Amino acid sequence: IEARVDALHGAEIYLDFPSVGATENLMMAAALANGTTVLENAAKEPEIVDLAGLLVRMGAKIDGAGQSRMRIEGRSALHGASYTPMADRIEAGTLMLCAAATLRGAEEGALQAVTAKLRECGAEVTGDASGLRVRGGRLRGVDVETLVYPGFPTDLQAPMMAMLCRAEGTSILT
């Protein structure tokens, strides 16, 4: 989609369905449109509030983010800003559901190399007859070498690397 900023004008827009993607696109366009835009039946998801936070930090004027009615006063320009977006709640929820669904009945003995590395990182791993429970926390970097069983599984190197991206310090994966 290409649009000239000077061709955008504020409007009252009613969304038949409160779509996240539509609301986000309208917010970004309205932030640089001439005049005021009112969005009715806007999406209310946390991502909408997060995007509004970024746009406001960049100089936009947005009222009502996270509510079904939003008012956006267009600006002639936005400026750069430093902003940390919220964690992806769908990804986080997926991982939470996977953990809840798959750890039941998991035996620590079969995962000894993995649980040992998790503990070394600073995670709390507890187990009983029903399965395992893992609690994160302040993680620290560790060295991991994949080996044949009973060593650290090669197939878990990529997920371990992803987790270690959140750890403090240096990790080496071999």
mmCIF file of all heavy atoms in Angstrom, residues 103 106-127 132-134 150-153 156 160:
data_model
loop_
_atom_site.group_PDB
_atom_site.id
_atom_site.type_symbol
_atom_site.label_atom_id
_atom_site.label_comp_id
_atom_site.label_asym_id
_atom_site.label_seq_id
_atom_site.Cartn_x
_atom_site.Cartn_y
_atom_site.Cartn_z
ATOM 1 N N LEU A 103 4.502 -31.781 30.118
ATOM 2 C CA LEU A 103 5.348 -32.166 31.236
ATOM 3 C C LEU A 103 4.708 -33.206 32.138
ATOM 4 O O LEU A 103 5.388 -33.844 32.922
ATOM 5 C CB LEU A 103 5.759 -30.943 32.053
ATOM 6 C CG LEU A 103 6.690 -29.965 31.339
ATOM 7 C CD1 LEU A 103 7.027 -28.797 32.243
ATOM 8 C CD2 LEU A 103 7.939 -30.651 30.857
ATOM 9 N N ALA A 106 6.267 -36.714 32.356
ATOM 10 C CA ALA A 106 7.664 -36.662 31.942
ATOM 11 C C ALA A 106 8.532 -37.159 33.090
ATOM 12 O O ALA A 106 8.306 -36.832 34.244
ATOM 13 C CB ALA A 106 8.055 -35.230 31.567
ATOM 14 N N GLU A 107 9.496 -37.980 32.756
ATOM 15 C CA GLU A 107 10.372 -38.549 33.774
ATOM 16 C C GLU A 107 11.698 -37.818 33.773
ATOM 17 O O GLU A 107 12.339 -37.680 32.728
ATOM 18 C CB GLU A 107 10.589 -40.036 33.513
ATOM 19 C CG GLU A 107 9.312 -40.855 33.614
ATOM 20 C CD GLU A 107 9.553 -42.311 33.312
ATOM 21 O OE1 GLU A 107 10.709 -42.771 33.413
ATOM 22 O OE2 GLU A 107 8.572 -42.993 32.977
ATOM 23 N N GLU A 108 12.107 -37.387 34.938
ATOM 24 C CA GLU A 108 13.344 -36.622 35.037
ATOM 25 C C GLU A 108 14.544 -37.444 34.582
ATOM 26 O O GLU A 108 15.466 -36.914 33.969
ATOM 27 C CB GLU A 108 13.555 -36.101 36.453
ATOM 28 C CG GLU A 108 14.739 -35.181 36.544
ATOM 29 C CD GLU A 108 14.820 -34.460 37.874
ATOM 30 O OE1 GLU A 108 13.961 -34.655 38.740
ATOM 31 O OE2 GLU A 108 15.774 -33.684 38.025
ATOM 32 N N GLY A 109 14.514 -38.724 34.808
ATOM 33 C CA GLY A 109 15.638 -39.572 34.423
ATOM 34 C C GLY A 109 15.936 -39.497 32.928
ATOM 35 O O GLY A 109 17.091 -39.425 32.518
ATOM 36 N N ALA A 110 14.897 -39.480 32.108
ATOM 37 C CA ALA A 110 15.080 -39.428 30.654
ATOM 38 C C ALA A 110 15.537 -38.054 30.200
ATOM 39 O O ALA A 110 16.050 -37.906 29.097
ATOM 40 C CB ALA A 110 13.777 -39.806 29.947
ATOM 41 N N LEU A 111 15.351 -37.056 31.038
ATOM 42 C CA LEU A 111 15.699 -35.672 30.695
ATOM 43 C C LEU A 111 16.805 -35.128 31.592
ATOM 44 O O LEU A 111 16.953 -33.928 31.744
ATOM 45 C CB LEU A 111 14.458 -34.784 30.809
ATOM 46 C CG LEU A 111 13.355 -35.065 29.803
ATOM 47 C CD1 LEU A 111 12.057 -34.423 30.236
ATOM 48 C CD2 LEU A 111 13.776 -34.574 28.432
ATOM 49 N N GLN A 112 17.597 -36.018 32.169
ATOM 50 C CA GLN A 112 18.585 -35.615 33.159
ATOM 51 C C GLN A 112 19.553 -34.557 32.640
ATOM 52 O O GLN A 112 19.844 -33.581 33.334
ATOM 53 C CB GLN A 112 19.366 -36.831 33.658
ATOM 54 C CG GLN A 112 20.290 -36.505 34.809
ATOM 55 C CD GLN A 112 20.930 -37.749 35.385
ATOM 56 O OE1 GLN A 112 20.825 -38.839 34.814
ATOM 57 N NE2 GLN A 112 21.589 -37.599 36.509
ATOM 58 N N ALA A 113 20.036 -34.681 31.412
ATOM 59 C CA ALA A 113 20.974 -33.695 30.862
ATOM 60 C C ALA A 113 20.300 -32.336 30.697
ATOM 61 O O ALA A 113 20.902 -31.288 30.948
ATOM 62 C CB ALA A 113 21.532 -34.176 29.524
ATOM 63 N N VAL A 114 19.036 -32.348 30.304
ATOM 64 C CA VAL A 114 18.296 -31.101 30.110
ATOM 65 C C VAL A 114 18.010 -30.443 31.455
ATOM 66 O O VAL A 114 18.239 -29.243 31.629
ATOM 67 C CB VAL A 114 16.989 -31.350 29.329
ATOM 68 C CG1 VAL A 114 16.181 -30.071 29.191
ATOM 69 C CG2 VAL A 114 17.298 -31.950 27.961
ATOM 70 N N THR A 115 17.506 -31.221 32.401
ATOM 71 C CA THR A 115 17.195 -30.642 33.710
ATOM 72 C C THR A 115 18.457 -30.142 34.403
ATOM 73 O O THR A 115 18.433 -29.117 35.077
ATOM 74 C CB THR A 115 16.433 -31.633 34.614
ATOM 75 O OG1 THR A 115 17.218 -32.826 34.775
ATOM 76 C CG2 THR A 115 15.076 -31.985 34.022
ATOM 77 N N ALA A 116 19.575 -30.828 34.201
ATOM 78 C CA ALA A 116 20.839 -30.378 34.806
ATOM 79 C C ALA A 116 21.238 -29.015 34.240
ATOM 80 O O ALA A 116 21.656 -28.124 34.991
ATOM 81 C CB ALA A 116 21.934 -31.407 34.564
ATOM 82 N N LYS A 117 21.121 -28.834 32.925
ATOM 83 C CA LYS A 117 21.474 -27.549 32.314
ATOM 84 C C LYS A 117 20.497 -26.446 32.730
ATOM 85 O O LYS A 117 20.900 -25.304 32.946
ATOM 86 C CB LYS A 117 21.537 -27.652 30.788
ATOM 87 C CG LYS A 117 22.775 -28.343 30.287
ATOM 88 C CD LYS A 117 24.026 -27.559 30.671
ATOM 89 C CE LYS A 117 25.284 -28.317 30.323
ATOM 90 N NZ LYS A 117 26.502 -27.622 30.762
ATOM 91 N N LEU A 118 19.220 -26.784 32.843
ATOM 92 C CA LEU A 118 18.245 -25.797 33.300
ATOM 93 C C LEU A 118 18.584 -25.335 34.717
ATOM 94 O O LEU A 118 18.552 -24.142 35.017
ATOM 95 C CB LEU A 118 16.829 -26.364 33.243
ATOM 96 C CG LEU A 118 16.218 -26.464 31.845
ATOM 97 C CD1 LEU A 118 14.924 -27.268 31.889
ATOM 98 C CD2 LEU A 118 15.969 -25.084 31.271
ATOM 99 N N ARG A 119 18.922 -26.268 35.564
ATOM 100 C CA ARG A 119 19.296 -25.904 36.941
ATOM 101 C C ARG A 119 20.572 -25.063 36.946
ATOM 102 O O ARG A 119 20.690 -24.098 37.695
ATOM 103 C CB ARG A 119 19.466 -27.156 37.786
ATOM 104 C CG ARG A 119 18.150 -27.820 38.139
ATOM 105 C CD ARG A 119 18.341 -29.022 39.066
ATOM 106 N NE ARG A 119 17.068 -29.591 39.411
ATOM 107 C CZ ARG A 119 16.674 -30.829 39.092
ATOM 108 N NH1 ARG A 119 17.496 -31.644 38.428
ATOM 109 N NH2 ARG A 119 15.480 -31.279 39.446
ATOM 110 N N GLU A 120 21.529 -25.446 36.103
ATOM 111 C CA GLU A 120 22.782 -24.686 36.011
ATOM 112 C C GLU A 120 22.512 -23.244 35.558
ATOM 113 O O GLU A 120 23.192 -22.315 35.986
ATOM 114 C CB GLU A 120 23.727 -25.383 35.029
ATOM 115 C CG GLU A 120 25.123 -24.823 34.997
ATOM 116 C CD GLU A 120 26.033 -25.561 34.014
ATOM 117 O OE1 GLU A 120 25.753 -26.736 33.670
ATOM 118 O OE2 GLU A 120 27.022 -24.945 33.581
ATOM 119 N N CYS A 121 21.504 -23.066 34.723
ATOM 120 C CA CYS A 121 21.112 -21.729 34.246
ATOM 121 C C CYS A 121 20.444 -20.911 35.341
ATOM 122 O O CYS A 121 20.326 -19.688 35.221
ATOM 123 C CB CYS A 121 20.103 -21.832 33.106
ATOM 124 S SG CYS A 121 20.780 -22.329 31.559
ATOM 125 N N GLY A 122 19.931 -21.576 36.356
ATOM 126 C CA GLY A 122 19.229 -20.863 37.409
ATOM 127 C C GLY A 122 17.741 -21.148 37.450
ATOM 128 O O GLY A 122 17.019 -20.578 38.268
ATOM 129 N N ALA A 123 17.256 -22.025 36.579
ATOM 130 C CA ALA A 123 15.846 -22.406 36.609
ATOM 131 C C ALA A 123 15.616 -23.390 37.747
ATOM 132 O O ALA A 123 16.519 -24.120 38.160
ATOM 133 C CB ALA A 123 15.436 -23.040 35.285
ATOM 134 N N GLU A 124 14.402 -23.409 38.241
ATOM 135 C CA GLU A 124 14.024 -24.355 39.288
ATOM 136 C C GLU A 124 13.280 -25.502 38.626
ATOM 137 O O GLU A 124 12.271 -25.302 37.958
ATOM 138 C CB GLU A 124 13.116 -23.661 40.303
ATOM 139 C CG GLU A 124 12.642 -24.553 41.421
ATOM 140 C CD GLU A 124 11.652 -23.854 42.331
ATOM 141 O OE1 GLU A 124 11.776 -22.631 42.525
ATOM 142 O OE2 GLU A 124 10.743 -24.537 42.828
ATOM 143 N N VAL A 125 13.794 -26.717 38.783
ATOM 144 C CA VAL A 125 13.162 -27.897 38.205
ATOM 145 C C VAL A 125 12.826 -28.836 39.346
ATOM 146 O O VAL A 125 13.697 -29.233 40.115
ATOM 147 C CB VAL A 125 14.087 -28.611 37.197
ATOM 148 C CG1 VAL A 125 13.385 -29.818 36.583
ATOM 149 C CG2 VAL A 125 14.568 -27.652 36.119
ATOM 150 N N THR A 126 11.545 -29.154 39.465
ATOM 151 C CA THR A 126 11.114 -30.099 40.487
ATOM 152 C C THR A 126 10.333 -31.211 39.795
ATOM 153 O O THR A 126 9.707 -31.004 38.759
ATOM 154 C CB THR A 126 10.229 -29.425 41.550
ATOM 155 O OG1 THR A 126 9.130 -28.778 40.908
ATOM 156 C CG2 THR A 126 11.019 -28.392 42.337
ATOM 157 N N GLY A 127 10.385 -32.368 40.368
ATOM 158 C CA GLY A 127 9.685 -33.495 39.781
ATOM 159 C C GLY A 127 9.095 -34.400 40.830
ATOM 160 O O GLY A 127 9.588 -34.470 41.950
ATOM 161 N N LEU A 132 7.102 -33.168 35.707
ATOM 162 C CA LEU A 132 8.088 -32.147 36.034
ATOM 163 C C LEU A 132 7.469 -30.761 36.041
ATOM 164 O O LEU A 132 6.521 -30.501 35.313
ATOM 165 C CB LEU A 132 9.222 -32.155 35.002
ATOM 166 C CG LEU A 132 10.074 -33.414 34.920
ATOM 167 C CD1 LEU A 132 11.016 -33.328 33.738
ATOM 168 C CD2 LEU A 132 10.849 -33.611 36.203
ATOM 169 N N ARG A 133 8.069 -29.891 36.826
ATOM 170 C CA ARG A 133 7.671 -28.484 36.839
ATOM 171 C C ARG A 133 8.940 -27.655 36.697
ATOM 172 O O ARG A 133 9.917 -27.879 37.406
ATOM 173 C CB ARG A 133 6.966 -28.137 38.143
ATOM 174 C CG ARG A 133 6.564 -26.686 38.214
ATOM 175 C CD ARG A 133 5.857 -26.382 39.499
ATOM 176 N NE ARG A 133 5.585 -24.958 39.557
ATOM 177 C CZ ARG A 133 4.596 -24.428 40.221
ATOM 178 N NH1 ARG A 133 3.782 -25.202 40.909
ATOM 179 N NH2 ARG A 133 4.414 -23.141 40.235
ATOM 180 N N VAL A 134 8.904 -26.700 35.771
ATOM 181 C CA VAL A 134 10.052 -25.828 35.529
ATOM 182 C C VAL A 134 9.617 -24.396 35.762
ATOM 183 O O VAL A 134 8.605 -23.957 35.221
ATOM 184 C CB VAL A 134 10.587 -25.983 34.087
ATOM 185 C CG1 VAL A 134 11.769 -25.057 33.855
ATOM 186 C CG2 VAL A 134 10.966 -27.429 33.798
ATOM 187 N N PRO A 150 23.178 -40.531 27.173
ATOM 188 C CA PRO A 150 22.325 -39.683 27.992
ATOM 189 C C PRO A 150 22.751 -38.219 28.015
ATOM 190 O O PRO A 150 22.328 -37.468 28.884
ATOM 191 C CB PRO A 150 22.444 -40.307 29.375
ATOM 192 C CG PRO A 150 23.857 -40.802 29.425
ATOM 193 C CD PRO A 150 24.171 -41.239 28.018
ATOM 194 N N GLY A 151 23.555 -37.786 27.044
ATOM 195 C CA GLY A 151 23.989 -36.396 26.989
ATOM 196 C C GLY A 151 22.872 -35.471 26.536
ATOM 197 O O GLY A 151 21.733 -35.892 26.291
ATOM 198 N N PHE A 152 23.200 -34.190 26.378
ATOM 199 C CA PHE A 152 22.209 -33.191 25.987
ATOM 200 C C PHE A 152 21.768 -33.469 24.547
ATOM 201 O O PHE A 152 22.599 -33.560 23.643
ATOM 202 C CB PHE A 152 22.790 -31.778 26.103
ATOM 203 C CG PHE A 152 21.747 -30.705 26.030
ATOM 204 C CD1 PHE A 152 21.156 -30.239 27.200
ATOM 205 C CD2 PHE A 152 21.335 -30.184 24.825
ATOM 206 C CE1 PHE A 152 20.164 -29.260 27.154
ATOM 207 C CE2 PHE A 152 20.355 -29.205 24.763
ATOM 208 C CZ PHE A 152 19.769 -28.744 25.927
ATOM 209 N N PRO A 153 20.453 -33.585 24.294
ATOM 210 C CA PRO A 153 19.958 -33.953 22.959
ATOM 211 C C PRO A 153 20.197 -32.862 21.908
ATOM 212 O O PRO A 153 19.918 -31.683 22.135
ATOM 213 C CB PRO A 153 18.452 -34.140 23.161
ATOM 214 C CG PRO A 153 18.240 -34.206 24.638
ATOM 215 C CD PRO A 153 19.376 -33.476 25.271
ATOM 216 N N LEU A 156 17.392 -30.532 20.986
ATOM 217 C CA LEU A 156 17.013 -29.467 21.917
ATOM 218 C C LEU A 156 18.017 -28.317 21.918
ATOM 219 O O LEU A 156 17.862 -27.361 22.682
ATOM 220 C CB LEU A 156 16.846 -30.024 23.331
ATOM 221 C CG LEU A 156 15.645 -30.951 23.515
ATOM 222 C CD1 LEU A 156 15.586 -31.477 24.943
ATOM 223 C CD2 LEU A 156 14.352 -30.231 23.163
ATOM 224 N N MET A 160 17.174 -24.513 23.330
ATOM 225 C CA MET A 160 18.055 -24.095 24.422
ATOM 226 C C MET A 160 18.725 -22.774 24.053
ATOM 227 O O MET A 160 18.822 -21.858 24.882
ATOM 228 C CB MET A 160 19.104 -25.176 24.704
ATOM 229 C CG MET A 160 19.997 -24.864 25.867
ATOM 230 S SD MET A 160 19.065 -24.917 27.413
ATOM 231 C CE MET A 160 20.365 -25.051 28.598
#
